[in-house]
Amino acid sequence: MVANKMDVCVFTGVDLCCQANNHTHRTKEMDVDRLLVRRGQPFSFALECSGSPPQPPDHQLTLVLHLGESSVHMMATGYFSGQWWFSQQSAQTELLITVHSPANAPVGLYKLAVLLLSADGEILEEMAPESFYLLFNPWCKADAVYLPDEELLQEYILNENGILYQGSWNQITSLPWNFGQFEKDVVDICFEILNNSPAAVKNPEMDTMNRADPVYVSRTVTAMVNANDDRGVVLGRWDGEYSDGVAPTRWTGSVPILRRWSEGGAQRVRYGQCWVFSGVACTVLRCLGIPTRCVTNYSSAHDTDGNLTVDYTFNEKLESVSTGRKDMIWNYHCWVESWMAREDLPHGYDGWQTLDPTPQERSDGVYCCGPCPVRAVREGEVGLKYDTAFVFAEVNADLVYWVVYPDGQRTKASLNQKTVGKNISTKSVYGDHREDITAHYKYPEGSVKEREVYERAGRRVNQKYGAPAELELFIKHAQAVHGTDFDVIVEVHNVGGQDTQAHLTVMSSAVTYNSLHLGECQKKTASLTVPAQKEVLRLRYDHYGTCVSEHNLIRVTALLQESDHNLILQEINIHLTMPKLHVKVVGEPVVSRKLTVYITLTNPLPVKLTGGVFTIEGAGLTEAQEVPAPSGIGPAEEVTVKCSFKPSRPGLRKLLVDFDSDRLKDVKGAATLIVRQKKSGRV
């Protein structure tokens, strides 16, 4: 008791009814020993009293809420819109108190105190404060994040497992990801992230009040997931040098990252790339109660100068001569979408909002992006906040190739208006398969509506330039498996009426998924007399094995120069197919019962692998564990390792496994389990 001016204490204890409340508020997966509730939905607790009736006559109760430096006094009254209030009911020696929160209350960690007042308002007794978390409530119609579809909520709030899409637009690969938003202490870490934001440090009272708004909270999350400006969570790196941290490809989930950041005193975690940033942001936003999904945009433009084109500049030897900050086409780029109302915008822009935590460009001086209404992107309303022009370019920019001659003159070698923004993907609500949401972002290529949108966005609709070319250039390739040799076929077609002299240059190079050049694999030149002709470039593992990035991408560029200086340039990215781990779980999946997992890898490379490590984790199954591989794994050699774990929570669970070594990285595997509750023993 904090205060007591009565001879006998009226209050003897309090039961927050955590298990019952958390069940009805859909937070029981987070905890059953602490109170976690959603705004706009009542919750109840029991006051244990010393006598019957529990409340003395002519005395009244009041509740006091504290959130940060702010406090709210609640009275036992009828419903008042936008206000906290409570009702009470006597039962023997207890009082059942039901608290009603407004649907626009700030989210956060509240402290709740119960006061007993005399008839003239004097405080006679005060209970020690109890704590509870208040979260957004997408099940509440009055909440700005209300989503009226239970199947969508099961996926975008309650599902702890997901799939992130990688690869390339014509060879899409999937990466299972453990969001783990209900794992132990994750909710505490999510609010710790908000508390470390520059706005919270500078003006905590204003920041606390702004946390009523999902637009503000989600924008803060996109800034805090990356560590560029502040005490953010993940430091991005793309140059392949990760010896002082963890390679981005080794992560299989968000929870180890969040825990490492928190346990390190808000020190940034090394390292992440776009899918890591999006996975962590999705975890935080789902945990806070904002419906969120991860999205991948293939052939995603990074337009640094805002001209809605991506310009690549080469010399005649196919060497890049771009200067300054370079526009880039990312093989794929991951962000998140969150569902919310946009009361700060004109009518019609509620719903899915793009949020991008990867640090690409500053927005209002900070490395963050969004929330940007997806509908505004599709309609070309690039003036709407936040960052709609940047997102519009990511899915719509033109790709232009230029060739620069020694005298400084440059020639446009290629214009492609259909390269950027392909197969925009997210995990389906109805299973572990891909849903294409490209139509949410853009109208069909070449349609009248698409041209109208371009004009609205202030983009000139480029027309084809010059006379029709007599030569056409195509690049094809056989299936490319990492560790094997494969052919790339460059075809030159002559659609004119006579033979044509031309010079062909073909180069292959290792690149990262965001277009950083890591080294030339092979170059080949040929002088051609073209009716119609093929040129074959054989890429051997000896050519690419030592320089290929952890993203396993090879870029092939072909430049065709006619004798009259007409130019044609084509470029493709080849994604090397990776092996899969075989994961077998032995034992009956029951909470707290030991299971053994066997993980098998076959080395696909013609070289020995050293320094291999397997990493396993799974929400409700096990925290991240590392298992060393045998010291040297020879070509085509099969190895199996095992480890054990005990599931902690029932339900459909997914075990994720990663393998990394000196020459082979980012090899994944997974196993799905149905974990049952442990049966109680006989009395």
Side-chain angles (χ1 to χ4, degrees):
M1 299 296 173
V2 176
N4 178 28
K5 295 186 178 181
M6 302 181 68
D7 295 334
V8 179
C9 290
V10 173
F11 305 140
T12 60
V14 62
D15 178 4
L16 293 180
C17 306
C18 298
Q19 189 161 352
N21 283 316
N22 292 3
H23 176 79
T24 58
H25 285 254
R26 300 173 177 86
T27 60
K28 63 183 178 65
E29 289 287 330
M30 290 186 186
D31 210 323
V32 292
D33 298 320
R34 296 190 297 169
L35 184 60
L36 300 109
V37 295
R38 301 188 184 277
R39 65 186 193 175
Q41 181 177 343
F43 65 93
S44 300
F45 64 92
L47 271 180
E48 299 163 358
C49 304
S50 57
S52 180
Q55 181 177 328
D58 301 325
H59 291 56
Q60 63 180 4
L61 291 181
T62 189
L63 307 185
V64 180
L65 284 175
H66 295 278
L67 178 63
E69 298 299 318
S70 303
S71 62
V72 176
H73 286 256
M74 271 190 284
M75 301 302 292
T77 60
Y79 171 71
F80 285 96
S81 176
Q83 295 185 16
W84 290 84
W85 62 283
F86 74 94
S87 59
Q88 64 186 74
Q89 185 176 351
S90 298
Q92 302 299 317
T93 59
E94 291 184 322
L95 284 174
L96 183 66
I97 309 295
T98 300
V99 177
H100 301 259
S101 62
N104 62 350
V107 298
L109 180 62
Y110 284 77
K111 293 187 181 299
L112 171 65
V114 181
L115 279 63
L116 182 64
L117 307 180
S118 65
D120 57 4
E122 181 183 6
I123 298 176
L124 302 177
E125 190 173 338
E126 181 178 354
M127 289 284 295
E130 299 283 349
S131 298
F132 68 93
Y133 275 114
L134 187 73
L135 307 175
F136 291 104
N137 191 355
W139 284 271
C140 174
K141 289 184 178 181
D143 197 309
V145 300
Y146 174 60
L147 179 56
D149 189 314
E150 184 61 33
E151 286 183 306
L152 299 187
L153 290 167
Q154 288 293 323
E155 179 70 32
Y156 300 139
I157 290 290
L158 300 180
N159 195 350
E160 293 185 84
N161 299 301
I163 293 177
L164 312 182
Y165 291 98
Q166 298 179 321
S168 55
W169 71 269
N170 58 352
Q171 192 175 346
I172 295 172
T173 62
S174 59
L175 173 69
W177 191 263
N178 171 27
F179 296 120
Q181 66 268 28
F182 300 144
E183 288 285 83
K184 181 176 173 59
D185 300 329
V186 167
V187 66
D188 304 281
I189 298 172
C190 292
F191 281 103
E192 186 181 353
I193 290 170
L194 296 181
N195 293 341
N196 274 276
S197 73
V201 173
K202 182 179 180 180
N203 191 335
E205 187 170 357
M206 180 177 291
D207 173 76
T208 296
M209 292 301 100
N210 285 337
R211 291 186 193 178
D213 182 7
V215 173
Y216 176 87
V217 170
S218 61
R219 187 163 170 81
T220 300
V221 169
T222 70
M224 287 299 296
V225 165
N226 73 73
N228 280 46
D229 303 296
D230 38 46
R231 295 163 63 90
V233 179
V234 183
L235 181 64
R237 191 161 188 170
W238 285 266
D239 61 4
E241 297 296 327
Y242 311 121
S243 58
D244 59 341
V246 176
T249 54
R250 285 197 61 190
W251 302 113
T252 54
S254 307
V255 177
I257 297 170
L258 292 169
R259 285 181 175 156
R260 183 174 295 200
W261 176 82
S262 179
E263 292 165 2
Q267 292 296 309
R268 57 192 183 182
V269 177
R270 298 178 169 90
Y271 290 102
Q273 292 173 4
C274 72
W275 70 92
V276 179
F277 291 116
S278 70
V280 172
C282 187
T283 295
V284 174
L285 291 164
R286 285 187 183 182
C287 183
L288 295 175
I290 301 176
T292 302
R293 62 187 183 185
C294 290
V295 172
T296 299
N297 176 39
Y298 287 95
S299 298
S300 186
H302 182 179
D303 177 20
T304 59
D305 55 12
N307 67 349
L308 294 178
T309 66
V310 172
D311 298 287
Y312 281 176
T313 309
F314 300 92
N315 61 21
E316 293 176 281
K317 298 179 182 179
L318 283 183
E319 297 167 336
S320 175
V321 292
S322 298
T323 58
R325 297 184 66 223
K326 299 178 182 178
D327 290 348
M328 291 185 292
I329 301 289
W330 294 34
N331 214 43
Y332 63 88
H333 181 49
C334 300
W335 57 66
V336 299
E337 290 178 0
S338 291
W339 182 275
M340 65 189 72
R342 291 302 302 270
E343 296 176 2
D344 57 326
L345 296 179
H347 177 73
Y349 295 99
D350 299 344
W352 289 117
Q353 312 288 319
T354 295
L355 292 147
D356 191 349
T358 300
Q360 295 186 87
E361 300 291 331
R362 292 186 183 274
S363 174
D364 295 336
V366 178
Y367 278 105
C368 66
C369 180
C372 158
V374 172
R375 181 173 179 267
V377 176
R378 187 181 64 180
E379 301 300 333
E381 300 288 357
V382 295
L384 294 178
K385 60 185 182 182
Y386 292 90
D387 311 304
T388 306
F390 183 78
V391 179
F392 183 88
E394 286 185 299
V395 300
N396 284 300
D398 286 345
L399 173 59
V400 183
Y401 292 101
W402 303 88
V403 173
V404 178
Y405 297 100
D407 62 2
Q409 293 293 317
R410 73 177 193 169
T411 299
K412 185 184 291 185
S414 176
L415 166 65
N416 197 321
Q417 297 176 315
K418 298 182 180 180
T419 293
V420 170
K422 291 189 171 185
N423 292 347
I424 303 174
S425 303
T426 190
K427 176 188 173 297
S428 170
V429 172
Y430 305 106
D432 288 350
H433 53 270
R434 186 181 71 90
E435 178 184 350
D436 193 297
I437 56 172
T438 308
H440 294 191
Y441 281 85
K442 55 199 299 189
Y443 289 99
E445 297 282 1
S447 66
V448 173
K449 193 68 176 178
E450 181 202 31
R451 289 193 292 272
E452 291 177 0
V453 167
Y454 289 171
E455 293 170 1
R456 187 179 301 127
R459 165 181 170 176
R460 182 174 56 86
V461 180
N462 290 299
Q463 305 297 325
K464 290 186 177 180
Y465 52 92
E470 293 188 347
L471 299 185
E472 295 177 343
L473 185 61
F474 304 93
I475 306 175
K476 303 176 182 178
H477 67 89
Q479 183 180 16
V481 178
H482 195 4
T484 66
D485 304 338
F486 58 93
D487 290 336
V488 176
I489 300 169
V490 180
E491 295 184 355
V492 182
H493 293 180
N494 187 345
V495 296
Q498 57 186 3
D499 290 356
T500 303
Q501 300 296 316
H503 184 77
L504 177 66
T505 303
V506 183
M507 183 179 73
S508 64
S509 54
V511 295
T512 63
Y513 80 102
N514 63 333
S515 289
L516 296 181
H517 185 277
L518 296 187
E520 182 180 311
C521 301
Q522 191 179 5
K523 182 184 285 186
K524 189 174 183 178
T525 62
S527 295
L528 309 172
T529 300
V530 187
Q533 199 161 329
K534 295 181 181 179
E535 189 69 29
V536 178
L537 178 73
R538 169 150 284 190
L539 277 173
R540 302 187 184 278
Y541 181 76
D542 291 344
H543 296 147
Y544 68 81
T546 56
C547 62
V548 70
S549 75
E550 69 268 26
H551 308 121
N552 306 305
L553 278 177
I554 301 294
R555 176 168 293 169
V556 177
T557 309
L559 175 64
L560 185 68
Q561 299 174 278
E562 297 182 47
S563 55
D564 59 359
H565 297 293
N566 284 335
L567 299 174
I568 306 174
L569 189 148
Q570 292 290 346
E571 191 169 68
I572 64 167
N573 291 329
I574 302 173
H575 186 265
L576 302 176
T577 301
M578 294 292 289
K580 296 284 187 183
L581 299 174
H582 181 260
V583 183
K584 182 179 181 181
V585 179
V586 177
E588 185 181 0
V590 175
V591 171
S592 300
R593 184 172 297 176
K594 182 178 177 180
L595 296 174
T596 301
V597 56
Y598 293 87
I599 307 162
T600 301
L601 166 76
T602 301
N603 179 8
L605 304 187
V607 296
K608 181 181 287 188
L609 305 180
T610 60
V613 176
F614 295 89
T615 304
I616 73 166
E617 72 162 302
L621 294 175
T622 177
E623 295 183 1
Q625 298 185 47
E626 289 190 352
V627 182
S631 57
I633 306 173
E637 181 180 350
E638 180 180 286
V639 297
T640 299
V641 299
K642 71 174 184 177
C643 62
S644 300
F645 61 91
K646 294 180 179 180
S648 58
R649 289 185 283 139
L652 187 68
R653 302 292 169 190
K654 188 167 285 189
L655 184 71
L656 308 182
V657 186
D658 169 78
F659 173 80
D660 279 87
S661 67
D662 60 335
R663 297 291 291 271
L664 184 66
K665 304 179 188 298
D666 196 23
V667 185
K668 307 295 186 186
T672 302
L673 311 174
I674 299 176
V675 179
R676 290 176 169 79
Q677 190 64 263
K678 189 175 182 180
K679 294 180 180 178
S680 57
R682 294 181 178 179
V683 179

